[in-house]
Amino acid sequence: KQEVTQIPAALSVPEGENLVLNCSFTDSAIYNLQWFRQDPGKGLTSLLLIQSSQREQTSGRLNASLDKSSGRSTLYIAASQPGDSATYLCAVTGANSKLTFGKGITLSVRP
Amino acid sequence: ETGVTQSPTHLIKTRGQQVTLRCSSQSGHNTVSWYQQALGQGPQFIFQYYREEENGRGNFPPRFSGLQFPNYSSELNVNALELDDSALYLCASSPKGIRGDTQYFGPGTRLTVL
């Protein structure tokens, strides 16, 4: 059974800091890994998708890497801003396109 | 191109009642998945529909059922509501059931069971 872990559960950083969010998963037989952003009480916004054959993806200040063999992914956020405050969830796609999510990391960026 | 929409936004029910949640998938997408997200948790997979047929189910009891229509919109029905069913229900659509594709999420329906 696939399990996705995100540690820590919460993180508070000053504005401008570069930061790394970690995600680990137990079963390396995945089709892809996605990072999502969720604002309080809202739905999910896809940030980056990394196919199982890829090592990383970049979008603006965000960079996500994937090491499938070790079951790890990182989301790098450069020059963090207060508007980046949200919960960040990682999810892996397995059989039947089922997404298995971690519990998320709640990020607070202090002005 | 419209995104994934869900209705209603919020819903309050009492224990034992039945509820129907609705989802309109993004244009061109024929696969819809439903997820339950309890407070402080990641979303949990309920089931998926591909071309009007169930295509995978998570660890949810039979009182959670679904339907997909010819226009690929979908419904989630929950019978005999329990307090623990209180959660944000998310629907996601993806094109052509391709496993490698991004799933696009709707804004969710917040269900409160009293």
Side-chain angles (χ1 to χ4, degrees):
Chain A
K1 176 189 171 188
Q2 179 74 267
E3 291 184 3
V4 179
T5 302
Q6 293 184 256
I7 296 173
L11 191 60
S12 179
V13 301
E15 182 176 2
E17 191 162 299
N18 300 325
L19 56 104
V20 174
L21 306 181
N22 294 305
C23 170
S24 62
F25 48 95
T26 55
D27 185 352
S28 62
I30 63 170
Y31 291 97
N32 61 45
L33 182 143
Q34 285 184 249
W35 282 92
F36 293 89
R37 170 182 172 141
Q38 186 173 33
D39 292 293
K42 304 294 185 183
L44 306 180
T45 301
S46 180
L47 298 173
L48 289 165
L49 178 144
I50 311 175
Q51 301 291 359
S52 62
S53 58
Q54 297 175 322
R55 294 299 297 254
E56 66 178 311
Q57 283 288 331
T58 298
S59 175
R61 294 184 294 110
L62 306 178
N63 175 276
S65 68
L66 173 63
D67 184 342
K68 202 172 77 158
S69 60
S70 69
R72 295 175 190 266
S73 175
T74 61
L75 177 66
Y76 175 82
I77 303 176
S80 58
Q81 303 170 357
D84 294 330
S85 298
T87 296
Y88 291 81
L89 296 132
C90 83
V92 295
T93 301
N96 292 331
S97 302
K98 168 188 171 183
L99 282 173
T100 302
F101 285 85
K103 290 185 178 181
I105 297 173
T106 299
L107 172 66
S108 174
V109 181
R110 308 186 301 271
Chain B
E1 178 181 281
T2 56
V4 179
T5 60
Q6 293 185 243
S7 62
T9 306
H10 296 89
L11 204 50
I12 300 174
K13 292 285 189 178
T14 56
R15 197 168 46 181
Q17 285 188 311
Q18 178 266 341
V19 69
T20 297
L21 310 182
R22 294 178 175 83
C23 171
S24 290
S25 58
Q26 190 161 318
S27 177
H29 292 187
N30 61 12
T31 302
V32 174
S33 303
W34 286 91
Y35 295 83
Q36 179 197 66
Q37 186 178 24
L39 204 59
Q41 302 294 314
Q44 298 290 316
F45 176 74
I46 303 175
F47 44 56
Q48 181 184 86
Y49 280 83
Y50 171 64
R51 291 187 174 179
E52 303 178 57
E53 298 216 352
E54 189 176 290
N55 182 42
R57 188 179 183 92
N59 189 27
F60 281 80
R63 59 190 185 82
F64 285 77
S65 63
L67 202 57
Q68 187 180 31
F69 299 99
N71 66 355
Y72 302 132
S73 64
S74 177
E75 285 183 355
L76 164 64
N77 298 291
V78 187
N79 293 322
L81 284 167
E82 300 177 359
L83 298 180
D84 284 349
D85 296 333
S86 295
L88 181 67
Y89 288 84
L90 297 162
C91 123
S93 73
S94 58
K96 301 179 182 178
I98 297 173
R99 287 171 180 153
D101 267 341
T102 299
Q103 293 200 28
Y104 296 85
F105 281 79
T109 293
R110 171 71 62 185
L111 172 65
T112 301
V113 182
L114 302 175

